Amino acid sequence: MRALVIGEALIDIVERDGEVRGEYVGGSPLNVAVGLARLGRPVDFLTHIGTDAHGVRIREYAESAGVQLVPGSDAASRTATARAVLDASGSATYEFDIDWALSGTPEAAPPVVLHTGSIAAVLDPGCLATKALVDTYRLSATVTFDPNIRPALITDADAARSRIDRLLESADVVKVSDEDLRWIDPTRTPEQIAATWLALGPSIVVVTSGSDGAVAMCANGTVRVPAGHVDVVDTVGAGDAFMTGLIDALWSMDLLGADRRGPLTDIGTDSLTAAVRAGTLASALTVARPGADLPDRVALDAAAASDILG
């Protein structure tokens, strides 16, 4: 009953008003791995970092949260960085120095859930290995996917869209931002695109819209959940925290694993609402703190008891 997360890990260098405000361990998949571990879930993480100082910092950060790095994850020549520039509202734009590569079959037990997305889904050459591993582990696992598009890294938009489509066909649960959907297809509304994606095979498609909350679709209907009432420090890691809370809630509902694919497909709107609220709550706690500082179980349970979502 372990999670396997596949994707990039890097150092976020955060700037605001022309000044570096801090350096944080980041990367969307890493944030999800750490977030799940902080909630008490056993997690294996397959990534591509170096043995340099940044790589050592990432390993120590992940392992301190309880994440187990898959052997071979430190084979990169250097560890990636991302410069996150914050605007007045705390929203981040990114500039990357990264390469993404994977090789061989990871030494990890068959997971109950496999999560991937972001750079790992579209960047050559590692994206091809990522898709192959998704197809391999789908025999045992629920597949969760967050495109988390980084336009600054995409040189061929059509190829990136095609790679996202192929992963959608293997995914069971998809979380995507309205901003990403507008990049994917500016001619349709995010909800129209999400409905199309649901028809491709996923059991759940969730669209997050920042302060406007989230909308989620399944075979039994559509639900809407408002955003939390918190003072936003920055939005770094907000979507990753949402994904973490969503996965954790579905795990608690015993809806993860290939043998639970039928019940997941039949999820009711009440259960879907509860899962989306859990994701929204985790996201709200994260945006109230600087950097991608996802909550642990104690903080999440306390916030749920205080009902900050209303």
Side-chain angles (χ1 to χ4, degrees):
M1 297 291 290
R2 298 182 67 84
L4 174 63
V5 178
I6 301 174
E8 72 275 4
L10 46 79
I11 298 294
D12 283 323
I13 303 169
V14 179
E15 291 187 6
R16 195 167 201 165
D17 299 327
E19 297 182 0
V20 173
R21 298 300 179 90
E23 293 189 2
Y24 305 93
V25 175
S28 177
L30 172 65
N31 291 338
V32 173
V34 168
L36 286 172
R38 287 182 177 178
L39 295 178
R41 303 298 187 181
V43 183
D44 296 310
F45 181 45
L46 176 62
T47 190
H48 187 59
I49 59 174
T51 56
D52 52 13
H54 281 164
V56 170
R57 182 177 175 187
I58 288 170
R59 176 181 285 276
E60 291 176 347
Y61 176 81
E63 291 179 346
S64 69
V67 175
Q68 181 172 310
L69 264 65
V70 174
S73 290
D74 58 358
S77 60
R78 71 183 188 284
T79 300
T81 60
R83 191 169 299 274
V85 181
L86 305 179
D87 63 18
S89 68
S91 295
T93 56
Y94 293 87
E95 299 174 0
F96 293 91
D97 176 17
I98 186 172
D99 67 338
W100 172 243
L102 293 175
S103 62
T105 302
E107 298 176 22
V112 70
V113 58
L114 182 152
H115 174 75
T116 192
S118 192
I119 294 165
V122 298
L123 189 64
D124 285 322
C127 65
L128 301 178
T130 298
K131 177 60 168 65
L133 290 171
V134 167
D135 291 340
T136 296
Y137 284 112
R138 192 176 189 273
L139 298 175
S140 71
T142 297
V143 176
T144 65
F145 175 49
D146 178 4
N148 198 24
I149 294 163
R150 303 303 191 189
L153 282 171
I154 295 174
T155 57
D156 187 335
D158 289 339
R161 293 184 180 100
S162 177
R163 287 165 178 169
I164 289 168
D165 285 344
R166 288 198 295 273
L167 277 167
L168 286 171
E169 294 170 357
S170 300
D172 298 294
V173 178
V174 179
K175 194 286 295 180
V176 62
S177 71
D178 57 347
E179 183 179 3
D180 285 346
L181 289 177
R182 291 190 181 95
W183 182 90
I184 288 170
D185 186 351
T187 68
R188 294 188 292 162
T189 68
E191 288 192 35
Q192 287 173 331
I193 303 170
T196 300
W197 283 11
L198 188 69
L200 292 176
S203 297
I204 297 171
V205 177
V206 184
V207 180
T208 57
S209 301
S211 60
D212 291 329
V215 58
M217 300 178 182
C218 67
N220 287 312
T222 299
V223 304
R224 300 176 189 277
V225 173
H229 305 294
V230 296
D231 293 327
V232 176
V233 174
D234 65 53
T235 62
V236 178
D240 307 326
F242 188 104
M243 187 84 251
T244 299
L246 180 65
I247 293 170
D248 177 70
L250 295 173
W251 205 327
S252 295
M253 294 175 187
D254 191 26
L255 291 175
L256 298 184
D259 62 336
R260 304 299 293 161
R261 196 159 275 135
L264 181 65
T265 299
D266 292 335
I267 190 172
T269 53
D270 288 347
S271 294
L272 181 59
T273 298
V276 174
R277 283 178 64 87
T280 302
L281 184 60
S283 183
L285 292 175
T286 301
V287 301
R289 300 187 283 202
D293 186 8
L294 279 65
D296 61 17
R297 179 67 66 191
V298 172
L300 194 63
D301 288 349
S306 67
D307 196 22
I308 64 172
L309 300 184

